[in-house]
């Protein structure tokens, strides 16, 4: 399932739910519907930047997560998943940019509406 993050501050950001789940869990938000208010944007940005920094220090966690997220794909082997993985930092980048813009402009980020 796709999640579409929307804000008046930037273009929409689309993410698969299994990739957005880690971010939303970190922010204590539901994947089905939610909002990051302008007042929450600074805290959300800080939490997400910290998680990105940790993921860069421990890339093995990203590999393991990616393997399990895609292990049901037909013909996918563990070796192929490792070679094709996209790290958490790369997946989170568009939402980080949206958070920065929302914080600067004082706008909310919504999804599932």
């Amino acid at each position: 399932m796709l999640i579409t993050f929307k804000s008046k501050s930037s273009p929409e950001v689309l993410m698969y739910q299994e990739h957005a789940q880690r971010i939303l869990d970190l922010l204590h938000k539901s994947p089905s519907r939610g909002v990051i208010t302008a007042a929450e944007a600074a805290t959300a940005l800080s939490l997400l930047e910290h998680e990105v920094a940790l993921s860069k220090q421990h890339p093995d966690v990203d590999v393991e997560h990616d393997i399990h997220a895609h292990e049901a794909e037909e013909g996918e082997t563990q070796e192929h998943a490792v070679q094709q993985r996209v790290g958490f930092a790369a997946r989170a980048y568009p939402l980080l940019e949206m958070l920065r813009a929302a914080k600067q402009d004082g706008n909310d980020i919504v999804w599932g509406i």
Side-chain angles (χ1 to χ4, degrees):
M1 181 166 103
L2 283 173
I3 296 177
T4 304
F5 296 95
K6 300 175 185 178
S7 176
K8 291 180 181 179
S9 300
S10 64
E12 293 179 350
V13 172
L14 293 166
M15 295 179 91
Y16 284 110
Q17 182 176 340
E18 62 263 20
H19 299 146
Q21 190 67 52
R22 181 173 172 187
I23 295 169
L24 295 173
D25 286 347
L26 178 70
L27 302 177
H28 305 289
K29 301 289 184 177
S30 167
S32 59
R33 173 181 277 180
V35 62
I36 299 171
T37 65
E40 296 173 318
T43 302
L45 186 58
S46 176
L47 286 169
L48 193 50
E49 285 173 338
H50 179 72
E51 188 72 9
V52 166
L54 287 176
S55 75
K56 288 180 178 181
Q57 291 174 356
H58 305 286
D60 296 343
V61 175
D62 280 351
V63 171
E64 200 61 34
H65 181 268
D66 247 17
I67 290 169
H68 293 301
H70 299 284
E71 64 188 3
E73 291 181 9
E74 189 173 327
E76 182 79 272
T77 64
Q78 187 171 2
E79 294 79 21
H80 184 259
V82 169
Q83 291 174 352
Q84 299 297 317
R85 81 169 186 90
V86 176
F88 178 74
R91 291 197 194 280
Y93 182 80
L95 193 55
L96 273 170
E97 288 299 301
M98 180 180 268
L99 275 167
R100 288 182 184 114
K103 177 185 167 198
Q104 180 179 349
D105 297 344
N107 290 317
D108 297 342
I109 297 173
V110 297
W111 62 93
I113 298 175

